[in-house]
Amino acid sequence: MPSKGGNPEEIVLGAIPPNTRFLSFPRSDGLGPSRWPPSSQRSGLVRIDGRLNYFLPLPLNDKTPLSWRLKVGAKVAEMMGKADADDYCLAGWPEGYEFFMHVTSKLDGTKRGDPYLYGSPHTAKFRSANEFIPHAYWLMTTTTLDKSECACRYCGGIKLQSDVNQAVLGAPARLTAQSRPPKSSLSPEKPAKTRPVSSSNSSVAPPYTSRSRNTTRIREPKIIFPLDKRKEPPMDLYTSRNRYTELHEGRDFRDGEIVIIRLPHPIKSAEGVLIEFWPSWVADIEYRKHITRDIEGASFSVKEELFLVTKPLCAEEAIVKVPTSSVIPHRAWLISKELQTRLLQVRLPRDFKTSVSIPIFDPNDCMGKLLPTITFDLVAPYFALAVQTAAHMDIYWSPMYCIDAGSGPRSSGTLYQGLWWGTERIWLHDLARLTISHLELVSHDRLRNLLPVMEGSETRTLFMRIHQVAVVERVTPDGMVPVCQVSGPIFCTLRDPHFENRPGNVMSPEESLAFEALKTAEGNHFPLPRPPAGFKFVPVTFDNQEVTLELGQLAGRYYPKLFFNSCLDMFWIRDNSPQWYQSIAAMAGFTLGRHSAPDIQFLKWKRSEAAELSRKAARQDVMTEWGKIHKK
């Protein structure tokens, strides 16, 4: 469709509506410049017979691509079943895609601009936002990049875009040049001619018939949008799409984990003691962009921030959205002695034996606003229950998303895509921390050709790039017992000579050249997280050698940016709580992994079962502890 009005060679920035939410593509099929217009037609004006014919790349916030982003984002959000879908906009194009204006002119100088989106391997270009909507939805939701799942006209082999508009986008059918019967402007329509029928009794020729040209064959949509809520998977069922997205984007916090959020509105006692943090489930993520204009309003800057959508424990069905800067891993938080003492001074409510939660947050506000009736004494027992529930979750493990049974190259057990490891979620191809040290590993009598201990590597975290997660049966005096095994190459950390410590910082989180160059034999399409500041990852195993470890030797997830989390005053923690400091340092890769590891004891095949058992055990703990103090 040609641009409407104005000069097609002029770049005009559009305004992003306030309170816009953004969708980012977790994956792409884009092929990059090889699928864009020729560079010779992008480097300058190309004149053919004195007429313009060149491609002008347009920035994201130009009026034309912005209108595409708003339209596609709103429709894709609706197809994904998101609330307030009209508030959504695409944060950008898929990787490898680029938006161009094809500028042409006539001999009389009249200019024309046609916007196109380039980069797809399945078509030369997308000609309209409607053409791109089904393809954008597919890229947002696919786990395999199999184009047979895509409902766009190019991947689905659909001749007419109007068919896609009606079948997939819900647009009313309309007659097109291909479906409208031809009319003569010189004479009225004549009745259709029919072939004469033979009068022979030996054979009767059927009347001449043909498919009417004013009927359009509608191709059935491959997917029905939005998804039927009754057919959505249960809360404890996760798919490989989550794995791809969370690993590829390097998320610090993952769906279904228990984390500690800093409350936007702390709950204060009469003595000034604060409930400032709260254990919460991670439910989803949300990108938000803040637009800041200069004084004259001539230009603006856009800052994107990632928010977590969380569900605080023991707070009914409340939703609290917080920026990731207000979130820390569960094991990185320690309740203060002052708060513990104040909690025990509160008497339990009479219905505590049967109640599991109370309303704490305003249901009409998702940003953590408290109900006006909330007091410290009212909330304290349920805060203690939430803390104990999270602590009990750290003793359970559950395998996630079965791949196959008995087909692993190193095990005859059942293979999985990941683990629920206490409060954390660990995926296949994750870089996980180990409890054993470098010295203990190289001292094993069955392991050969390992990198020797050097430069203090025996005092820092040892890592495994997990290439297999298996559950095998082990013979014990109590019978057959399922045991978790993880396999993969091992890495240690050594000082990075390329590291630059910026003035004024104790440590710099900048990435190093060694980090960029490091590759592994498998899973290298998932980038490794950055190494601990000042260090680089170095392989301990060579020549595709892998090590298999069991349950107690896995410490948990690695958090490379934890030392820089604004919720943690690392200087105060270092000076006042050395054990807490050492635990955080282990999670950030600076000390041995055993200083921060869950006390895993029990296997529960369903994580929902582990959550229910944790709630019951936590309630019993709270009642027992309170009973010792508040005896009748």
Side-chain angles (χ1 to χ4, degrees):
M1 178 183 295
S3 60
K4 296 180 180 180
N7 184 355
E9 297 179 277
E10 181 182 4
I11 294 178
V12 181
L13 296 182
I16 299 176
N19 301 322
T20 296
R21 290 181 283 184
F22 293 84
L23 292 174
S24 297
F25 287 95
R27 64 198 59 80
S28 176
D29 63 344
L31 298 181
S34 64
R35 299 291 293 178
W36 299 353
S39 57
S40 60
Q41 290 187 296
R42 290 185 274 128
S43 58
L45 300 184
V46 178
R47 296 182 179 272
I48 301 177
D49 298 329
R51 291 176 291 179
L52 294 179
N53 184 11
Y54 76 102
F55 294 86
L56 175 67
L58 295 181
L60 280 175
N61 289 332
D62 180 87
K63 291 183 67 174
T64 303
L66 179 58
S67 67
W68 279 45
R69 290 167 55 207
L70 289 168
K71 182 174 182 178
V72 176
K75 190 62 182 180
V76 170
E78 177 189 336
M79 294 159 75
M80 296 174 70
K82 292 185 177 291
D84 300 322
D86 290 339
D87 294 341
Y88 282 85
C89 173
L90 295 183
W93 307 121
E95 185 178 356
Y97 280 66
E98 190 67 34
F99 198 95
F100 291 88
M101 181 71 75
H102 186 196
V103 180
T104 57
S105 69
K106 298 180 179 180
L107 290 175
D108 62 0
T110 304
K111 297 179 182 178
R112 170 191 175 106
D114 295 276
Y116 301 121
L117 183 62
Y118 287 82
S120 172
H122 308 301
T123 180
K125 57 197 173 188
F126 288 99
R127 296 168 172 81
S128 68
N130 276 359
E131 280 193 358
F132 185 56
I133 285 171
H135 199 77
Y137 174 84
W138 171 63
L139 291 177
M140 287 285 184
T141 58
T142 182
T143 62
T144 61
L145 286 179
D146 179 359
K147 75 167 188 175
S148 65
E149 301 173 353
C150 181
C152 81
R153 62 175 297 194
Y154 303 110
C155 293
I158 304 173
K159 185 176 181 180
L160 301 178
Q161 179 60 31
S162 58
D163 293 356
V164 179
N165 293 345
Q166 182 179 2
V168 178
L169 306 180
R174 63 175 183 175
L175 294 179
T176 65
Q178 290 86 357
S179 61
R180 186 181 296 113
K183 296 182 179 180
S184 172
S185 59
L186 300 178
S187 60
E189 290 187 10
K190 298 179 181 180
K193 294 182 179 181
T194 57
R195 182 176 298 175
V197 180
S198 172
S199 59
S200 172
N201 296 328
S202 60
S203 64
V204 178
Y208 176 77
T209 59
S210 64
R211 183 168 62 92
S212 174
R213 296 189 64 185
N214 62 357
T215 59
T216 303
R217 186 179 63 178
I218 302 297
R219 185 184 179 114
E220 290 297 324
K222 298 181 179 180
I223 309 171
I224 304 300
F225 307 112
L227 295 177
D228 187 344
K229 294 290 183 182
R230 296 170 296 177
K231 297 181 180 179
E232 288 186 353
M235 285 294 293
D236 57 352
L237 179 63
Y238 294 84
T239 67
S240 56
R241 179 167 67 89
N242 299 75
R243 167 178 168 263
Y244 185 96
T245 302
E246 292 179 342
L247 285 180
H248 191 74
E249 294 184 358
R251 291 185 188 171
D252 293 327
F253 309 104
R254 299 170 178 175
D255 294 356
E257 291 186 328
I258 294 181
V259 297
I260 305 297
I261 66 169
R262 179 162 56 188
L263 297 179
H265 306 282
I267 304 169
K268 191 175 184 179
S269 71
E271 302 82 6
V273 179
L274 292 177
I275 296 178
E276 190 178 1
F277 295 89
W278 199 285
S280 303
W281 299 100
V282 178
D284 201 353
I285 65 168
E286 187 175 278
Y287 286 94
R288 294 192 174 193
K289 287 193 176 182
H290 305 285
I291 302 174
T292 305
R293 297 186 179 275
D294 64 4
I295 299 177
E296 298 178 354
S299 63
F300 61 88
S301 61
V302 180
K303 180 182 178 182
E304 185 176 72
E305 189 173 8
L306 178 63
F307 276 66
L308 285 191
V309 181
T310 68
K311 294 182 177 180
L313 276 67
C314 306
E316 293 198 343
E317 297 299 320
I319 294 292
V320 177
K321 299 179 182 180
V322 292
T324 53
S325 57
S326 296
V327 184
I328 54 177
H330 169 249
R331 283 197 298 279
W333 177 71
L334 187 65
I335 187 172
S336 68
K337 292 182 179 180
E338 181 186 31
L339 180 55
Q340 290 185 57
T341 302
R342 183 63 182 85
L343 290 174
L344 290 171
Q345 296 174 3
V346 180
R347 289 187 175 274
L348 298 180
R350 293 182 178 181
D351 63 346
F352 189 77
K353 289 184 179 180
T354 56
S355 62
V356 295
S357 63
I358 60 169
I360 299 173
F361 303 96
D362 187 345
N364 298 318
D365 179 90
C366 62
M367 305 306 293
K369 181 181 179 181
L370 300 174
L371 291 171
T373 57
I374 290 301
T375 64
F376 184 95
D377 288 2
L378 179 64
V379 168
Y382 296 94
F383 170 72
L385 182 61
V387 171
Q388 283 299 106
T389 300
H392 275 281
M393 286 294 292
D394 240 3
I395 67 174
Y396 296 106
W397 69 278
S398 307
M400 287 190 307
Y401 204 77
C402 178
I403 301 175
D404 198 4
S407 62
R410 296 170 288 274
S411 170
S412 59
T414 303
L415 306 185
Y416 293 87
Q417 286 206 22
L419 293 167
W420 289 113
W421 197 247
T423 59
E424 296 177 338
R425 188 183 195 185
I426 298 178
W427 285 114
L428 194 67
H429 293 143
D430 233 330
L431 188 72
R433 298 179 299 112
L434 304 179
T435 59
I436 60 175
S437 69
H438 191 177
L439 180 61
E440 292 169 335
L441 183 72
V442 299
S443 301
H444 197 286
D445 55 359
R446 294 187 180 181
L447 297 177
R448 299 288 185 272
N449 300 323
L450 299 180
L451 180 75
V453 173
M454 59 177 67
E455 302 179 13
S457 61
E458 74 280 6
T459 65
R460 296 187 293 272
T461 305
L462 207 60
F463 301 90
M464 172 185 282
R465 178 79 155 192
I466 299 177
H467 283 177
Q468 179 174 286
V469 176
V471 176
V472 299
E473 297 288 336
R474 176 69 54 79
V475 179
T476 69
D478 298 327
M480 300 294 287
V481 176
V483 175
C484 175
Q485 293 182 340
V486 291
S487 304
I490 307 294
F491 297 88
C492 69
T493 55
L494 300 179
R495 292 287 179 182
D496 182 7
H498 299 287
F499 177 78
E500 295 182 3
N501 190 14
R502 294 182 294 179
N505 288 352
V506 178
M507 292 181 181
S508 170
E510 295 296 327
E511 301 174 4
S512 68
L513 297 177
F515 162 62
E516 294 293 340
L518 186 61
K519 297 290 184 180
T520 57
E522 296 182 57
N524 54 17
H525 52 291
F526 296 122
L528 279 174
R530 65 181 64 184
F535 295 89
K536 61 180 180 179
F537 289 127
V538 177
V540 175
T541 52
F542 301 102
D543 301 325
N544 296 326
Q545 182 183 10
E546 296 186 358
V547 176
T548 298
L549 300 175
E550 291 192 354
L551 189 93
Q553 295 164 316
L554 188 62
R557 287 189 56 199
Y558 164 52
Y559 299 90
K561 296 179 285 187
L562 186 57
F563 256 51
F564 311 97
N565 193 298
S566 60
C567 294
L568 300 171
D569 186 346
M570 294 306 301
F571 292 104
W572 185 94
I573 295 173
R574 180 192 61 188
D575 297 337
N576 295 274
S577 183
Q579 188 174 356
W580 184 12
Y581 183 85
Q582 193 173 48
S583 174
I584 295 174
M587 299 177 73
F590 292 106
T591 61
L592 292 176
R594 63 172 64 110
H595 294 306
S596 179
D599 183 22
I600 298 294
Q601 300 177 34
F602 307 107
L603 163 65
K604 294 299 175 184
W605 293 102
K606 292 184 178 180
R607 196 160 187 255
S608 56
E609 182 182 355
E612 182 61 29
L613 291 174
S614 296
R615 280 191 290 267
K616 291 180 179 179
R619 182 189 287 109
Q620 188 60 46
D621 288 348
V622 172
M623 294 177 63
T624 300
E625 192 65 27
W626 260 251
K628 295 176 183 178
I629 299 174
H630 302 282
K631 294 181 179 179
K632 293 183 179 180

